[in-house]
Amino acid sequence: MEASRVDELVSRAMDEQVAEYRQWRDEAAALAERIERLEAAVDALRAEVAGGVTEAARLGVAGEVDRLADDLRRQISDLGRLIVNDLGRLPKLLEQQQPAPPTAATPATEEAALDLRDDALPYADAAEERRGLFRRR
């Protein structure tokens, strides 16, 4: 009787151990499945965040480009207005810068202006000296 009781206790301990082992195995499988789902969710979040960051960067860059384009348009418009305003003043400036029309020249002034002889030049002596340097002897 004692042997059957020991066999019965050993059998019950083995059944309990097998049941506990199966429970651990089922829980480990459930944990592995849960980890796989979490990894998939994390990967999806990474892709979503990366897409969101890319989209946010794209929108930020587009906004900055739009702002710069508006600023450039405004500056070009201002420059155009300045040019138009300056073109209105240009004839007046040209009139101010033009030399006075020449007056009727007196005969003495004409002769002095047309006298191109060497002796009439301010540096006539220097011209004579230069001529002498280049003459053949």
Side-chain angles (χ1 to χ4, degrees):
M1 208 150 191
E2 208 42 60
S4 68
R5 176 109 172 113
V6 171
D7 287 339
E8 187 180 319
L9 288 175
V10 169
S11 176
R12 196 179 317 156
M14 295 259 314
D15 288 341
E16 287 175 5
Q17 198 171 23
V18 167
E20 188 177 334
Y21 173 76
R22 285 183 183 150
Q23 184 180 2
W24 277 102
R25 188 186 63 196
D26 291 343
E27 287 177 10
L31 282 175
E33 200 173 294
R34 186 173 180 194
I35 288 173
E36 286 177 15
R37 283 192 313 252
L38 286 173
E39 286 176 347
V42 167
D43 289 342
L45 283 174
R46 280 186 187 143
E48 187 177 323
V49 167
V53 167
T54 302
E55 184 63 26
R58 187 177 302 125
L59 290 174
V61 168
E64 185 68 15
V65 167
D66 288 343
R67 187 188 64 75
L68 290 174
D70 290 342
D71 190 37
L72 186 59
R73 275 190 217 102
R74 191 175 329 103
Q75 288 179 1
I76 289 173
S77 177
D78 292 344
L79 184 60
R81 274 194 291 280
L82 288 173
I83 289 172
V84 167
N85 290 339
D86 286 347
L87 284 177
R89 285 187 255 160
L90 186 61
K92 294 175 189 173
L93 290 173
L94 289 175
E95 286 174 8
Q96 291 173 357
Q97 296 299 321
Q98 282 182 342
T103 60
T106 60
T109 310
E110 285 181 18
E111 286 177 14
L114 296 177
D115 193 6
L116 299 177
R117 295 181 316 226
D118 284 341
D119 60 341
L121 294 174
Y123 300 106
D125 295 333
E128 280 297 319
E129 288 177 23
R130 275 186 263 133
R131 269 195 224 128
L133 291 175
F134 295 111
R135 278 196 188 140
R136 290 188 183 178
R137 295 182 193 192

